[in-house]
């Protein structure tokens, strides 16, 4: 998925634009026990509560591609015959209406997720997007539709204790001490299937992590049974290590500064093109950058 496709879906998470009929989920305590379930009709929820649910789900499609948003790829074998892909497809095909399928999914999250001593809320929703047609000028024709994109979106939100504070109770016309638990922004989440070329791609999912350096591989292993791409922090560390070891004594301040300046320039050029696809550096690109920084050909090859 690219930034345009993600933005197009994010705009769905408004009361007047989505086709989400119900919000499902469960509240899990720090002992990994389900305390209560959520099965709320969006049609009868108070507007402010419905908007809060939508905002939480929307945040699982936020952040930067390659950092907060990670492309999950299934193998052909998984798509043809695997428990993990069957479960995701069942959630989608039943539109989350099968309680046994939902329970099986909840247990996958609960049995794998490590949020320390935090309680948390698992939220699930199904949406059916009547994808409008785009003409040759990339303009949307709201009257024409190419297909319906049926998908599920999930997020996991820590539930935190609120400090005891004074609160006003209108019935008593008095102030009293009050406390409670509040739902924080999602720690992780995902969209399945991916929305590639504005259509469903059951070979991919889009995974969200609030912290780019903590992508919750344990959940990815359990739910998707696959290895995620390296996090942004891991990629940076590996690149820095490779640069230091290969250049050895030639890894001077001037060389490092030149490398960073050239990479920054490529990032700025990429932004100006408004290309929705993320910028990537190939091995050849890195070689050119090092050569332009005055690095010896032998060290560039290393």
């Amino acid at each position: 998925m690219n930034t345009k496709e993600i933005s197009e879906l994010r705009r769905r998470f408004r009361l007047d634009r989505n086709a989400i009929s119900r919000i499902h989920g469960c509240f899990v305590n720090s002992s990994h026990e389900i305390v209560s379930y959520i099965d709320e009709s969006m049609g009868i929820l108070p507007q402010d509560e419905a908007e809060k649910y939508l905002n939480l789900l929307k945040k699982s499609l936020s952040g930067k591609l390659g950092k907060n948003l990670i492309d999950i790829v299934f193998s052909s074998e998984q798509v043809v015959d695997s428990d993990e892909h069957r479960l995701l497809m069942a959630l989608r095909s039943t539109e989350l209406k099968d309680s046994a399928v939902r329970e099986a999914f909840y247990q996958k999250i609960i049995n794998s997720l490590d949020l320390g001593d935090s309680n948390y809320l698992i939220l699930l929703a199904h949406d059916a997007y009547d994808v409008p047609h785009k003409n040759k000028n990339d303009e949307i024709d709201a009257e024409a539709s190419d297909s319906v994109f049926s998908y599920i979106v999930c997020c996991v939100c820590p539930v935190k204790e609120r400090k005891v504070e004074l609160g006003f109770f209108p019935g008593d016309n008095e102030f009293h001490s009050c406390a409670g638990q509040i739902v924080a922004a999602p720690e992780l989440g995902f969209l399945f299937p991916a929305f590639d070329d504005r259509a469903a791609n059951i070979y991919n999912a889009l995974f969200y992590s609030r912290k780019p350096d903590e992508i919750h591989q344990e959940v990815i292993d359990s739910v998707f049974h696959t290895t995620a791409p390296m996090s942004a922090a891991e990629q940076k560390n590996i690149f820095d290590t490779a640069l230091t070891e290969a250049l050895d004594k030639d890894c001077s301040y001037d060389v490092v500064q030149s490398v960073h300046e050239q990479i920054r320039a490529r990032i700025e050029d990429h932004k100006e093109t408004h290309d929705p696809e993320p910028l990537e550096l190939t091995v050849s690109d890195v070689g050119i950058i090092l050569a332009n920084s005055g690095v010896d050909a032998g060290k560039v090859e290393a």
Side-chain angles (χ1 to χ4, degrees):
M1 291 180 64
N2 59 41
T3 53
K4 284 186 177 180
E5 291 161 342
I6 293 170
S7 296
E8 185 172 348
L9 285 188
R10 278 175 54 84
R11 290 192 290 270
R12 295 280 300 162
F13 291 86
R14 286 176 42 179
L15 290 176
D16 59 342
R17 290 191 176 181
N18 69 81
I20 297 173
S21 60
R22 303 191 74 84
I23 296 289
H24 298 277
C26 63
F27 175 40
V28 184
N29 64 21
S30 58
S31 300
H32 306 286
E33 301 166 332
I34 295 178
V35 177
S36 64
Y37 290 92
I38 295 174
D39 186 355
E40 299 280 4
S41 169
M42 288 289 282
I44 62 175
L45 276 174
Q47 182 176 335
D48 61 332
E49 290 184 20
E51 288 176 344
K52 283 182 171 61
Y53 279 124
L54 290 176
N55 284 335
L56 289 171
L57 292 167
K58 181 180 179 180
K59 284 180 181 177
S60 63
L61 296 175
S62 61
K64 294 185 177 181
L65 280 169
K67 288 189 175 181
N68 308 93
L69 296 170
I70 302 168
D71 191 33
I72 301 293
V73 181
F74 292 102
S75 67
S76 298
E77 292 78 9
Q78 283 180 292
V79 174
V80 172
D81 183 21
S82 70
D83 292 338
E84 60 273 10
H85 199 270
R86 259 193 302 274
L87 179 58
L88 292 171
M89 289 296 287
L91 289 168
R92 177 191 183 221
S93 63
T94 62
E95 299 181 358
L96 304 177
K97 294 175 182 177
D98 190 321
S99 60
V101 175
R102 295 199 308 269
E103 183 66 29
F105 172 75
Y106 296 151
Q107 292 304 322
K108 271 187 173 286
I109 296 286
I110 294 168
N111 292 335
S112 61
L113 180 58
D114 181 12
L115 285 185
D117 296 328
S118 176
N119 302 332
Y120 58 88
L121 180 66
I122 302 174
L123 289 179
L124 269 174
H126 171 269
D127 187 24
Y129 177 28
D130 199 10
V131 183
H133 174 74
K134 275 191 175 182
N135 61 28
K136 294 180 180 179
N137 297 323
D138 209 28
E139 297 171 339
I140 290 179
D141 181 0
E143 301 300 321
S145 174
D146 289 330
S147 62
V148 175
F149 175 54
S150 172
Y151 67 98
I152 58 171
V153 61
C154 171
C155 66
V156 179
C157 308
V159 178
K160 301 180 179 180
E161 291 286 345
R162 187 175 61 183
K163 293 181 180 180
V164 177
E165 299 172 340
L166 280 176
F168 182 68
F169 290 73
D172 300 331
N173 284 334
E174 295 175 348
F175 286 89
H176 300 288
S177 294
C178 59
Q181 300 186 75
I182 57 172
V183 180
E187 184 69 20
L188 65 147
F190 71 89
L191 168 87
F192 176 82
F195 187 54
D196 288 334
D197 295 324
R198 305 183 69 240
N201 176 7
I202 63 172
Y203 285 81
N204 290 63
L206 187 68
F207 187 81
Y208 166 79
S209 178
R210 185 176 67 87
K211 300 176 182 178
D213 56 341
E214 295 180 20
I215 61 173
H216 293 283
Q217 182 65 48
E218 75 278 10
V219 175
I220 295 173
D221 289 339
S222 177
V223 175
F224 306 105
H225 203 61
T226 186
T227 302
M230 285 186 293
S231 68
E234 288 176 312
Q235 292 184 55
K236 182 180 184 301
N237 289 336
I238 288 175
F239 181 76
D240 288 348
T241 300
L243 199 65
T244 302
E245 292 180 352
L247 301 190
D248 195 20
K249 294 179 182 179
D250 290 342
C251 191
S252 64
Y253 173 81
D254 289 340
V255 168
V256 172
Q257 185 180 39
S258 174
V259 169
H260 279 261
E261 286 177 351
Q262 290 182 70
I263 292 176
R264 281 200 298 270
R266 286 176 180 246
I267 292 172
E268 291 304 316
D269 290 343
H270 183 264
K271 287 180 179 178
E272 290 179 4
T273 66
H274 301 291
D275 186 349
E277 298 294 338
L279 173 66
E280 294 183 355
L281 288 180
T282 65
V283 172
S284 298
D285 291 333
V286 175
I288 293 170
I289 289 173
L290 292 176
N292 290 341
S293 302
V295 176
D296 177 80
K299 293 291 178 67
V300 171
E301 182 64 24

